[in-house]
Amino acid sequence: MNSSFWSQRDVNRPDLLCGRSADYLVKKEHFPMLVCSTIVLGGFLRICLKNSEVIVLTILSLSGFVIGQLAYHLVEVHQIVYPLLRTPSFSLFSYFLPIIIFMAALEVDFYILKNIIWQVLLTGLISFSTAFIIIGYVVLKFNVDSWGLQSCLLFSIILGITDPLYSVNSLRTIGVSKMYTDIIRGESLVICGFTAIFFGIFRSSPMHITLFRELHVVMGLVLDIFGSIICGYWCARIIQFILTDLFSNTLTNVILCFSMVYMTFFVVEFFGMSGIVALITVGLNLDSLSFKPRMEFIITKFLVMLSSVYQHLIYTFFGIVIGCGETKYFGFHTVVFMSILFATVNFVRLLTVFLVSPILMYWSYEYNWRWGVVITWSGIKGVFSILLAPDVYNLAEKKVKAPHMFVFYVQVISLLTMGINSYMMSQCARTLGLCAISLPRQMAMQNAFQHIQEIIQNTITLFKTEKILTSVNWVLVEEKTRMEYVTPSSHVSKDGKEQEESPTDEVLIEEARLHVAIIQMSSFEKQCNDGILGTEAARILIGATKSYCPIQGKFMSIYDVSTYVRARSWLMKFKNMLTYLEYHKEKTPYLLPGSNKFLIFVYHIVFSEEFEYAGHIVALMYIYPLIIHLWPMARELNVPALMSLNYYYMFLCILESSLKIIIMKRKYFQQHWNILEFLIIVVGIADIICIYFVRLRPDNLLLIQFTVMIGFLRIIRFLPIFKVIIPILIKIAEVQVKKRLSLMYNITKGYVKSQEDAKLLVRQISGRESIYQKLYEILETNKRDAVKELGLIEHEGRDVVIALKTKQAIRNVIAKALKNLTFLWSRGIIDKHEGIEMNKVLLTKIKALNNFPMAIPPPTPDKYLPNIIWLENKDVLIEFFKERTKLAYFDYGDVICREGEMPQGIYLIISGMASLHSSSPTFGIDSSLRPDRESKTLFTEYCTSGDVLGELSCLLKREIEYTAICETILQAFFISLEDLYEGFDVFWPSLEYKIWLKLALDTACQYFESSLVDEDLKFQKCVLHNHAYVETLSSYNELAINNVTMKFVIIVYGSVINTKTEEPYFAPYIIPKTCEQVQGTSDLSKVLIILASDPDKNENDSKFRGKG
């Protein structure tokens, strides 16, 4: 077991590691001045020597050495540094290292590390072992200071530690894959954990290691590893709970995060475990989703600042410690030994890479000898080694005359590896082409630059129309804002050769796949920050995306994510099994048995609650005698009492079963619990008979063995207890099933949204049309599969999905209110105090959603009519159609309507899911006029609760263009064609127009979502404010287009031509700005016109969105 610094034993330790004792009155008021001076000097050096951290640390170390030499000769300086010399080394370890280790673990991506955990553990174990053996041998062979074996081995362990921060700093700045930086950093954290546990075992006992008992060592290791990991996991959960609280502010979060790191370390150490391992676990379990939006950046910057200050203090303080030692031990042999140590450290790293390369090459298709060369130079030593260096002297039995030399060698090796190895890592990565931007990546960057340049040019064009900017020199503006992407002259491929030819589709698809994964992860995080996606669901999705990223050519589908589907299936089977085993008691299952008073009396007894409870009490009371019976020693002491209790128990069981059989007769054996009771009676009677014959024939060995076996069958008397437990287990299983359903629905919904986000940006990912088509098809297929999964989940747990949708609707309304509050607050309409109070009220409502019911019963069918958007929730329309609707029921596989048939009416789906199979939609245009639509490709879509089928066909009275097949049992409202047209006549012309408006908006959003992303095309707004409306054009009718008032003109059905150029436009199509007038060419054409917003209002809206 590790010990905390409170219980350290200093009996055999000297007062000081090095330097002379104080022969004067010690005053500590000057030491803070030294600390502040070190921090200020380090800050100025960082400002002057940017990107030269090793030079800063070297200067600070030399400054510390000079101060130490002055302290060695001058009393005035000695009294300043004396508190440092008196500080135990483990205290410095506890002051500085927790933040640094936590910071290093926080930067490791746990999802990537989880996929390569075995590689990292093996690499860390091999690195630790090789360093322990080889460096220990070299130190024992070449040191001239007569170090003992124990000192050499402890010193070799310290030099084998790779610094978790500086080992990858040079790689992070040149764009190396994060997977390899996480391998190096993960290996470093593993070695740090091993070393902390190893030194903790040494500190915990003053006895020699050979005197340790094996059990003591094993238990100590188990407690250090598993106990620390468990403590770290729960501390991470507590920190997550604190940091994600809606009411906590930035200052509170920073202070709590800082204090919780130290509290975790000291509490775990106090209980005899490893605080370092616990902090590594805490850091790995925290990610960007563990913080409130924009909070991670602030806390990370604060921790980076602290870790940087701590490193400056460590190198200065240990420079002072070295300077306080005697200089006579420094000589030419010191330089030689340092050179040998530096060469040995790098040789050990080379050997480690050589040993682990087969493992890494087997598990990763990207790993090759070039990466091995780079990782060879990653054995950089840092503050962890320096802080443990004094323990070589403190823990070794054989004391040396110059303990400061341990610190000196470690600190010099640390500075050498920081300078030389970091430079060699970056140079090797650049020389071997590991930092070269691939040609597909260059093409993607070029597309992004072009897209940004188009946005800039459009902005300039828009600004030119504003009167207030008429005097601006637009030539100069265009010149200063022009962006050009400089394409590298050569491209270094993985083979180290220049690659000038155009990349193949496979290479571009692979590059695009990685882009899609990045877009998806950004979408998941944004959805989580916006409250659309739960934290657990977002974490699962991000983890799954990172897990599938290394698999070449793999686009993550919803089936790859849905690991929880299998868990849900297991839970459902478990619940069904429990339901089958549950004891079902009928209230009045039988008629009163005539006028027989005895039977009537028995009837009332058997079907009373008291009779049932009495049976449960008998089963519970017999637990103790049964335990005594199964315990041989106790059974021998209580044979008469056990026999009496057995007779009494059997009498009660026979009485209970007899009463039930008298009333239920043959139906008694239709209940499985009754069969179990009858079996217990049969076995019990056999047991009593066997015991009786054993008493008559005590010398019959076979009879005795059979009686013993029958006696052990008494254990089945435990089983009736589960009759009480099963209802509780069923409730627990139902809650877990609902949680899994809720989580899976969240995951699937978030996945669908990420696919939509990726589809919007697919043009920017690749400019090649073939790549765009492949990507679009893959994303569309994945989205369609996810929508199907959503429908199946909704069918399986309608009450759970209704609760989720209701909760999300409440969240959206409150979020909108928060945005409005922010806008009013920023404009001074609401003062600061009022804004804070209203903000608290709204945040309280959001926090209350954590206790929102997990399931809400679905509404009755008649409540679904308001879901038809074109009824606008108006009572007169709803009542009109309520009288004319009919409930229609369909079984799995039933066909609701077929392609090519005339419509009978429209269907409003109440529950269930249907799949729509169709060829490419015609939009009222003959296929001969659309060469691009001659393909017979079949499309599949899925409709679920709230969707309406058959609207367009009923409006046109034309054949249905798709076949609708039930994927589950389906319930729907049916409104016949005659009733629908009767409604058109009664509510003419608004009702028919609103259906066309709804269809036009759906078509525009489906096909032109990226162009209309800034438009608020909600049906209610378009109806109330006339923000968008539909124009009808028949053959040869004309429509004038005013580009000032009309922002978008979209042909959503039929076809038109440009009257000036006679260029045809087929639906769906956005008519270009250059067109001034169009003329209908189909029998019926529908044009959606989206009006331009008022400039002042548009400006306010944009500012409002910016605040949100």
Side-chain angles (χ1 to χ4, degrees):
M1 291 172 60
N2 195 3
S3 61
S4 64
F5 69 90
W6 289 299
S7 61
Q8 275 193 352
R9 302 186 180 186
D10 295 332
V11 178
N12 298 323
R13 292 188 184 179
D15 287 342
L16 302 174
L17 177 66
C18 56
R20 57 188 175 84
S21 301
D23 51 2
Y24 51 83
L25 182 62
V26 178
K27 297 181 180 180
K28 298 183 179 181
E29 63 266 19
H30 299 293
F31 184 69
M33 179 184 68
L34 174 64
V35 175
C36 294
S37 302
T38 303
I39 295 173
V40 171
L41 177 61
F44 276 117
L45 289 174
R46 282 180 66 93
I47 294 173
C48 300
L49 302 171
K50 295 178 179 179
N51 301 323
S52 301
E53 185 68 16
V54 63
I55 300 176
V56 173
L57 296 177
T58 303
I59 294 173
L60 289 174
S61 301
L62 291 174
S63 302
F65 180 79
V66 172
I67 294 172
Q69 282 293 294
L70 292 175
Y72 186 80
H73 295 95
L74 299 176
V75 175
E76 293 81 4
V77 182
H78 188 268
Q79 67 180 353
I80 296 175
V81 303
Y82 188 74
L84 170 65
L85 302 178
R86 286 286 298 166
T87 304
S89 61
F90 188 72
S91 296
L92 291 176
F93 181 90
S94 304
Y95 298 155
F96 293 127
L97 203 59
I99 286 291
I100 295 174
I101 286 293
F102 174 72
M103 183 68 202
L106 190 63
E107 291 185 357
V108 175
D109 194 319
F110 178 68
Y111 301 107
I112 295 178
L113 188 65
K114 186 170 64 174
N115 296 328
I116 54 174
I117 186 65
W118 292 113
Q119 298 94 297
V120 169
L121 287 175
L122 285 173
T123 304
L125 185 61
I126 292 171
S127 178
F128 184 84
S129 304
T130 52
F132 180 78
I133 296 170
I134 297 176
I135 297 178
Y137 174 78
V138 171
V139 171
L140 186 65
K141 190 77 174 174
F142 292 98
N143 86 86
V144 296
D145 296 324
S146 301
W147 293 354
L149 176 61
Q150 223 175 29
S151 298
C152 294
L153 293 178
L154 292 173
F155 186 78
S156 67
I157 291 174
I158 290 173
L159 272 188
I161 302 171
T162 303
D163 187 80
L165 285 180
Y166 281 104
S167 57
V168 296
N169 275 1
S170 58
L171 295 180
R172 291 172 58 192
T173 57
I174 57 177
V176 171
S177 171
K178 186 164 173 42
M179 184 179 73
Y180 293 102
T181 60
D182 281 347
I183 288 177
I184 298 170
R185 184 167 277 164
E187 173 215 348
S188 175
L189 291 174
V190 169
I191 296 175
C192 289
F194 285 159
T195 309
I197 292 171
F198 188 82
F199 274 80
I201 293 174
F202 262 90
R203 289 193 198 99
S204 64
S205 180
M207 67 178 73
H208 193 271
I209 189 71
T210 57
L211 299 179
F212 278 12
R213 294 181 179 180
E214 293 180 2
L215 181 62
H216 173 78
V217 175
V218 172
M219 291 301 296
L221 284 173
V222 170
L223 189 62
D224 273 334
I225 297 173
F226 296 103
S228 303
I229 290 174
I230 292 171
C231 290
Y233 174 81
W234 284 109
C235 289
R237 299 281 81 79
I238 294 171
I239 293 174
Q240 281 183 1
F241 177 78
I242 293 171
L243 296 180
T244 54
D245 184 47
L246 291 172
F247 293 98
S248 60
N249 55 37
T250 304
L251 180 61
T252 304
N253 282 337
V254 172
I255 294 173
L256 284 174
C257 184
F258 173 76
S259 58
M260 281 297 295
V261 169
Y262 278 101
M263 187 175 177
T264 301
F265 177 82
F266 289 130
V267 168
V268 173
E269 287 283 334
F270 180 77
F271 284 104
M273 294 174 284
S274 174
I276 295 299
V277 175
L279 285 179
I280 291 173
T281 306
V282 172
L284 290 177
N285 278 278
L286 296 179
D287 52 22
S288 59
L289 300 177
S290 303
F291 305 88
K292 289 198 302 184
R294 297 178 295 277
M295 190 61 65
E296 181 192 15
F297 176 78
I298 298 171
I299 292 179
T300 304
K301 285 297 180 185
F302 177 76
L303 294 176
V304 168
M305 178 194 71
L306 275 182
S307 61
S308 178
V309 169
Y310 283 177
Q311 288 174 25
H312 293 172
L313 291 174
I314 289 167
Y315 278 87
T316 305
F317 286 174
F318 281 91
I320 292 172
V321 170
I322 296 169
C324 288
E326 297 183 13
T327 56
K328 66 179 182 180
Y329 295 99
F330 296 100
F332 179 72
H333 66 275
T334 307
V335 178
V336 174
F337 189 55
M338 282 191 305
S339 303
I340 293 172
L341 283 178
F342 178 74
T344 305
V345 165
N346 287 295
F347 172 75
V348 167
R349 193 65 183 165
L350 176 63
L351 181 61
T352 300
V353 172
F354 177 76
L355 293 175
V356 302
S357 286
I359 301 171
L360 296 178
M361 291 179 71
Y362 177 78
W363 286 102
S364 175
Y365 70 89
E366 292 182 359
Y367 184 83
N368 51 38
W369 66 269
R370 296 177 182 82
W371 283 115
V373 172
V374 173
I375 296 176
T376 299
W377 290 102
S378 64
I380 299 172
K381 316 304 170 186
V383 293
F384 199 99
S385 301
I386 296 173
L387 287 169
L388 285 178
D391 282 337
V392 177
Y393 176 77
N394 294 333
L395 300 177
E397 287 187 340
K398 182 180 179 181
K399 304 298 180 183
V400 298
K401 295 181 180 179
H404 62 285
M405 296 303 293
F406 293 121
V407 181
F408 172 74
Y409 287 129
V410 172
Q411 190 154 344
V412 171
I413 294 298
S414 170
L415 293 172
L416 286 174
T417 53
M418 278 187 189
I420 298 174
N421 288 31
S422 296
Y423 175 78
M424 291 301 298
M425 281 177 72
S426 57
Q427 287 302 312
C428 287
R430 290 190 178 97
T431 304
L432 296 175
L434 300 178
C435 305
I437 301 175
S438 63
L439 191 54
R441 178 69 174 164
Q442 292 177 24
M443 295 175 67
M445 291 173 63
Q446 189 172 6
N447 290 335
F449 267 90
Q450 291 175 356
H451 182 65
I452 294 172
Q453 188 60 46
E454 288 175 3
I455 293 174
I456 293 174
Q457 193 60 44
N458 292 337
T459 305
I460 293 173
T461 304
L462 182 63
F463 284 166
K464 285 180 179 180
T465 62
E466 298 186 11
K467 295 180 181 180
I468 196 172
L469 299 176
T470 52
S471 59
V472 173
N473 187 341
W474 291 110
V475 176
L476 186 60
V477 171
E478 291 178 353
E479 180 183 345
K480 295 297 183 182
T481 56
R482 186 178 295 112
M483 296 176 61
E484 294 182 0
Y485 175 69
V486 180
T487 305
S489 57
S490 64
H491 167 66
V492 181
S493 67
K494 290 185 178 180
D495 298 329
K497 301 177 182 178
E498 291 188 2
Q499 180 178 330
E500 298 179 355
E501 63 273 9
S502 177
T504 61
D505 281 3
E506 289 75 14
V507 175
L508 290 174
I509 280 286
E510 178 63 18
E511 189 71 28
R513 182 185 69 86
L514 299 177
H515 277 274
V516 168
I518 294 171
I519 293 170
Q520 286 180 323
M521 287 187 286
S522 301
S523 175
F524 299 145
E525 191 162 347
K526 184 178 183 303
Q527 290 179 63
C528 183
N529 292 336
D530 292 342
I532 300 173
L533 193 61
T535 304
E536 186 179 359
R539 192 171 280 119
I540 290 171
L541 284 165
I542 292 173
T545 306
K546 290 179 178 178
S547 299
Y548 286 103
C549 265
I551 302 176
Q552 197 166 13
K554 177 66 177 176
F555 283 84
M556 185 183 71
S557 68
I558 190 60
Y559 304 114
D560 298 321
V561 185
S562 57
T563 307
Y564 277 84
V565 172
R566 290 190 292 273
R568 188 182 73 218
S569 176
W570 176 83
L571 281 169
M572 288 298 295
K573 290 177 181 177
F574 180 66
K575 179 193 168 188
N576 293 335
M577 183 187 70
L578 291 175
T579 305
Y580 173 76
L581 294 176
E582 186 180 11
Y583 178 70
H584 300 284
K585 180 186 174 184
E586 301 182 27
K587 297 296 181 182
T588 55
Y590 307 101
L591 298 174
L592 289 174
S595 60
N596 191 318
K597 293 183 179 180
F598 174 74
L599 292 180
I600 294 173
F601 177 70
V602 173
Y603 176 88
H604 287 298
I605 290 175
V606 170
F607 293 105
S608 65
E609 292 185 357
E610 291 80 2
F611 183 78
E612 185 179 352
Y613 294 150
H616 297 333
I617 292 171
V618 170
L620 290 171
M621 289 177 63
Y622 192 70
I623 290 176
Y624 181 70
L626 189 55
I627 293 173
I628 298 297
H629 173 77
L630 295 174
W631 188 3
M633 186 180 295
R635 183 174 64 238
E636 291 178 3
L637 297 174
N638 299 279
V639 171
L642 288 174
M643 291 182 64
S644 300
L645 288 171
N646 184 40
Y647 295 149
Y648 180 68
Y649 177 80
M650 288 304 303
F651 169 73
L652 293 177
C653 288
I654 292 171
L655 178 62
E656 180 185 4
S657 295
S658 300
L659 293 175
K660 288 183 178 179
I661 291 173
I662 289 172
I663 299 300
M664 300 172 69
K665 297 181 175 61
R666 292 182 180 179
K667 291 186 178 180
Y668 172 82
F669 295 99
Q670 295 178 2
Q671 173 66 263
H672 43 265
W673 287 107
N674 293 337
I675 296 174
L676 177 64
E677 290 174 1
F678 189 79
L679 179 64
I680 290 172
I681 292 173
V682 171
V683 173
I685 293 172
D687 183 27
I688 292 173
I689 293 172
C690 288
I691 292 174
Y692 175 75
F693 282 111
V694 166
R695 286 188 172 186
L696 294 178
R697 302 284 300 274
D699 55 343
N700 191 327
L701 183 60
L702 182 62
L703 182 61
I704 292 173
Q705 291 177 343
F706 183 75
T707 304
V708 171
M709 292 176 57
I710 290 292
F712 279 111
L713 288 179
R714 292 187 188 181
I715 199 169
I716 65 175
R717 298 178 184 180
F718 272 128
L719 297 179
I721 298 172
F722 287 99
K723 187 161 52 173
V724 184
I725 301 174
I726 281 177
I728 301 172
L729 293 177
I730 288 176
K731 291 181 180 179
I732 295 173
E734 286 177 348
V735 172
Q736 293 302 318
V737 167
K738 289 177 180 178
K739 283 184 178 179
R740 297 297 187 187
L741 279 172
S742 175
L743 179 62
M744 197 59 216
Y745 189 85
N746 253 327
I747 290 173
T748 311
K749 190 176 179 182
Y751 179 84
V752 171
K753 183 68 170 65
S754 73
Q755 296 298 107
E756 293 173 352
D757 293 342
K759 283 167 63 179
L760 290 177
L761 300 172
V762 72
R763 280 288 186 189
Q764 281 73 47
I765 293 175
S766 178
R768 189 178 292 184
E769 185 64 26
S770 60
I771 302 301
Y772 166 75
Q773 290 296 335
K774 288 181 181 178
L775 282 178
Y776 192 87
E777 289 174 6
I778 292 171
L779 294 174
E780 185 63 30
T781 302
N782 288 342
K783 178 187 172 182
R784 189 166 60 246
D785 292 341
V787 171
K788 179 181 179 181
E789 187 70 17
L790 275 178
L792 293 174
I793 295 172
E794 185 168 354
H795 175 70
E796 186 176 346
R798 286 185 64 201
D799 52 348
V800 175
V801 174
I802 289 171
L804 279 174
K805 290 181 176 180
T806 306
K807 181 179 177 180
Q808 188 58 53
I810 296 171
R811 179 70 186 248
N812 292 341
V813 171
I814 298 175
K816 187 71 173 177
L818 280 171
K819 289 182 179 180
N820 289 330
L821 176 62
T822 305
F823 177 75
L824 296 174
W825 193 350
S826 65
R827 294 298 184 269
I829 300 173
I830 298 177
D831 63 23
K832 183 177 180 180
H833 176 72
E834 292 173 345
I836 291 173
E837 292 301 319
M838 293 177 68
N839 191 64
K840 285 182 179 179
V841 171
L842 293 174
L843 290 180
T844 304
K845 291 186 177 295
I846 291 178
K847 193 171 183 179
L849 291 176
N850 295 331
N851 301 320
F852 197 78
M854 195 174 298
I856 296 177
T860 55
D862 59 319
K863 300 293 184 182
Y864 275 88
L865 276 178
N867 289 350
I868 301 179
I869 195 169
W870 37 266
L871 293 181
E872 298 182 85
N873 206 14
K874 291 182 177 180
D875 293 338
V876 60
L877 286 169
I878 292 172
E879 290 299 325
F880 177 84
F881 284 105
K882 185 185 292 187
E883 298 172 357
R884 293 162 175 79
T885 54
K886 298 176 183 178
L887 270 176
Y889 297 92
F890 299 92
D891 203 351
Y892 170 76
D894 287 352
V895 176
I896 302 174
C897 54
R898 294 185 184 277
E899 185 175 2
E901 293 181 350
M902 292 301 294
Q904 302 298 317
I906 64 173
Y907 293 90
L908 168 62
I909 299 177
I910 297 174
S911 64
M913 184 177 68
S915 59
L916 309 183
H917 306 273
S918 67
S919 54
S920 181
T922 62
F923 294 100
I925 304 165
D926 189 83
S927 59
S928 61
L929 302 176
R930 298 284 298 264
D932 57 324
R933 296 295 177 115
E934 289 181 357
S935 171
K936 297 297 182 182
T937 305
L938 291 178
F939 294 88
T940 304
E941 295 183 16
Y942 294 92
C943 297
T944 184
S945 176
D947 291 329
V948 181
L949 305 179
E951 292 169 306
L952 182 60
S953 300
C954 288
L955 282 174
L956 300 170
K957 289 187 178 180
R958 292 183 181 177
E959 295 85 355
I960 300 172
E961 294 188 350
Y962 52 78
T963 300
I965 303 174
C966 295
E967 296 289 330
T968 63
I969 296 174
L970 187 138
Q971 184 181 13
F973 267 135
F974 174 70
I975 303 176
S976 67
L977 190 64
E978 293 76 12
D979 294 331
L980 181 64
Y981 271 84
E982 183 182 349
F984 290 167
D985 294 336
V986 174
F987 303 102
W988 177 265
S990 62
L991 185 58
E992 184 177 4
Y993 168 78
K994 287 170 185 174
I995 298 177
W996 271 115
L997 178 61
K998 181 255 184 186
L999 294 173
L1001 293 173
D1002 289 347
T1003 302
C1005 292
Q1006 180 180 356
Y1007 288 91
F1008 310 110
E1009 186 176 1
S1010 58
S1011 302
L1012 305 176
V1013 67
D1014 295 327
E1015 299 299 320
D1016 186 6
L1017 295 180
K1018 293 181 180 178
F1019 180 82
Q1020 290 82 357
K1021 181 178 179 181
C1022 295
V1023 172
L1024 292 176
H1025 305 292
N1026 207 29
H1027 176 60
Y1029 62 92
V1030 176
E1031 284 285 352
T1032 303
L1033 296 178
S1034 57
S1035 298
Y1036 308 112
N1037 281 14
E1038 295 179 349
L1039 173 68
I1041 299 176
N1042 186 342
N1043 288 318
V1044 176
T1045 59
M1046 299 178 181
K1047 189 172 184 180
F1048 292 100
V1049 179
I1050 306 172
I1051 174 73
V1052 294
Y1053 188 83
S1055 60
V1056 295
I1057 60 169
N1058 188 331
T1059 56
K1060 187 175 182 180
T1061 63
E1062 295 188 354
E1063 180 183 359
Y1065 303 128
F1066 301 104
Y1069 191 80
I1070 298 179
I1071 296 176
K1073 294 287 185 181
T1074 55
C1075 180
E1076 298 178 355
Q1077 191 177 47
V1078 293
Q1079 179 181 347
T1081 56
S1082 300
D1083 294 338
L1084 179 67
S1085 299
K1086 294 287 184 179
V1087 178
L1088 176 66
I1089 298 172
I1090 302 173
L1091 299 177
S1093 302
D1094 182 68
D1096 296 334
K1097 184 178 179 180
N1098 192 39
E1099 182 182 356
N1100 290 338
D1101 287 345
S1102 64
K1103 291 179 181 178
F1104 168 72
R1105 285 193 297 271
K1107 287 290 181 183

